[in-house]
Amino acid sequence: MSGLKIISADQRMAEQGGIKGVIFGPAKIGKTSLLWTLDPATTLFVDLEAGGLSVQGWSGDSLEVRDWDAARDIACYLGGPNPAMRADQAYSNEHYSYVCDQYGDPAALQKYQTIFVDSITVASRLAFQWASGQPQAFSEKTGKPDTRGAYGLLGKEMIGWVTQLQHVGSRNVWFVGLLDTKRDDFNREYFEPQIEGSKTGLELPGIVDEVVTMTELRPEQGEPYRAFVCRRPNQWEFPAGDRSGKLDLVEPPHLGKLMQKIRDSRRPEAASYNYDIATD
């Protein structure tokens, strides 16, 4: 039992871990522009979309990613080595040594408190393009493309990439991505993250702390306004989830203020959770 360390509630509360979250929203709602709400001196913009036009003049640092190999290299550089990986696998000690040789001393990353990744939608496309060229994407018998093999590899790659970025210690990591509006067989509207394959979209909410939908809300009276929808259930059925228990159903679309509220040292009151079952 000597290796077992019990962490008290006060110790856990004192440890300031980074916030990990994802923000989904329709195209042109202003997701990339959320960079303007963050401190440019302590924010690193991981740009997979060549989306610099919307933040032209933003004075923070950025890294451009144009293929899946670069996406994995950056995740390894930011997250450090994973000792569970074999030498020939991504995020291993050997991979980390390689990326440090490519990018330089990782001590230069210490100034970044927030990693802003735009977008997970494009990351999934790059991963699928890469996966489609791997041996697993072809039938061993016929040599023809095997779509199931490609999507299976895609799911593993994306979950591994997100998990690697999720383990960056005390830094905040925010992914942004597109949200699609779809209809089922009964013409009922529902919302789904635009991510290649189904595995990542299904497992992502269980990996990150916060799932937020950035959207335009239209009240019965007054003008439409942009907002963050942060909790479920919500009347719009948007993807949402708040592990901190500190966010309201609807919050202002300001990422900096959202993180300040999550970091508030006050603990959520147990009474704020409703454990009752609605009855007629």
Side-chain angles (χ1 to χ4, degrees), residues 59-87:
S59 59
D61 297 338
S62 64
L63 282 171
E64 291 190 354
V65 180
R66 295 295 174 263
D67 59 59
W68 187 239
D69 287 329
R72 294 197 300 183
D73 286 350
I74 289 171
C76 187
Y77 187 56
L78 294 172
N82 183 342
M85 296 299 180
R86 299 189 309 270

Side-chain angles (χ1 to χ4, degrees), residues 106-113 170-171:
L109 299 173
Q110 295 301 316
K111 69 174 183 177
Y112 301 119
Q113 296 178 8
S170 60
R171 297 187 185 95

Side-chain angles (χ1 to χ4, degrees), residues 234-270:
N234 59 73
Q235 59 264 47
W236 310 280
E237 295 296 328
F238 288 131
D242 171 31
R243 194 168 287 169
S244 75
K246 297 177 181 179
L247 300 180
D248 292 328
L249 176 64
V250 176
E251 295 281 356
H254 190 293
L255 187 52
K257 292 180 179 178
L258 191 82
M259 288 195 288
Q260 288 178 2
K261 189 169 185 178
I262 293 171
R263 287 197 188 98
D264 191 322
S265 61
R266 290 174 298 178
R267 304 182 187 185
E269 296 292 337

Side-chain angles (χ1 to χ4, degrees), residues 3-279:
L4 183 64
K5 180 182 179 181
I6 304 297
I7 300 174
S8 70
D10 289 335
Q11 287 175 317
R12 188 175 65 249
M13 293 297 294
E15 293 178 357
Q16 186 66 51
I19 302 166
K20 312 302 189 294
V22 59
I23 300 172
F24 294 115
K28 304 300 187 290
I29 195 67
K31 299 182 295 298
T32 305
S33 298
L34 291 171
L35 275 171
W36 289 103
T37 73
L38 301 173
D39 180 1
T42 59
T43 300
L44 178 64
F45 175 26
V46 180
D47 181 11
L48 293 97
E49 289 206 341
L53 185 61
S54 61
V55 288
Q56 191 172 13
W58 184 74
S59 59
D61 297 338
S62 64
L63 282 171
E64 291 190 354
V65 180
R66 295 295 174 263
D67 59 59
W68 187 239
D69 287 329
R72 294 197 300 183
D73 286 350
I74 289 171
C76 187
Y77 187 56
L78 294 172
N82 183 342
M85 296 299 180
R86 299 189 309 270
D88 61 334
Q89 291 182 302
Y91 318 124
S92 63
N93 285 303
E94 288 73 13
H95 186 197
Y96 184 64
S97 295
Y98 166 77
V99 297
C100 287
D101 288 340
Q102 296 295 311
Y103 291 103
D105 188 350
L109 299 173
Q110 295 301 316
K111 69 174 183 177
Y112 301 119
Q113 296 178 8
T114 300
I115 312 297
F116 187 89
V117 183
D118 184 15
S119 70
I120 195 170
T121 299
V122 173
S124 71
R125 294 171 186 163
L126 296 178
F128 184 64
Q129 183 181 29
W130 176 88
S132 297
Q134 302 306 304
Q136 298 94 317
F138 296 88
S139 170
E140 293 183 358
K141 294 182 178 180
T142 66
K144 294 181 179 180
D146 179 3
T147 303
R148 290 179 301 177
Y151 275 109
L153 182 57
L154 165 68
K156 293 178 182 178
E157 284 291 317
M158 284 298 297
I159 293 301
W161 184 71
V162 171
T163 302
Q164 175 69 15
L165 286 170
Q166 195 257 356
H167 285 95
V168 295
S170 60
R171 297 187 185 95
N172 311 303
V173 179
W174 287 92
F175 303 92
V176 300
L178 286 171
L179 186 68
D180 282 341
T181 303
K182 297 188 175 183
R183 292 190 177 275
D184 62 18
D185 294 338
F186 299 96
N187 201 37
R188 293 175 299 196
E189 187 177 76
Y190 68 98
F191 302 95
E192 187 175 272
Q194 189 181 115
I195 301 175
E196 293 289 340
S198 60
K199 183 179 178 66
T200 307
L202 291 172
E203 295 192 20
L204 185 61
I207 297 174
V208 297
D209 303 312
E210 307 294 329
V211 178
V212 176
T213 292
M214 183 178 183
T215 189
E216 183 180 80
L217 298 180
R218 296 178 175 270
E220 293 183 3
Q221 296 181 348
E223 296 294 321
Y225 60 94
R226 294 188 309 161
F228 285 159
V229 178
C230 304
R231 288 165 48 185
R232 294 195 71 173
N234 59 73
Q235 59 264 47
W236 310 280
E237 295 296 328
F238 288 131
D242 171 31
R243 194 168 287 169
S244 75
K246 297 177 181 179
L247 300 180
D248 292 328
L249 176 64
V250 176
E251 295 281 356
H254 190 293
L255 187 52
K257 292 180 179 178
L258 191 82
M259 288 195 288
Q260 288 178 2
K261 189 169 185 178
I262 293 171
R263 287 197 188 98
D264 191 322
S265 61
R266 290 174 298 178
R267 304 182 187 185
E269 296 292 337
S272 67
Y273 295 96
N274 184 2
Y275 299 101
D276 296 329
I277 296 176
T279 57

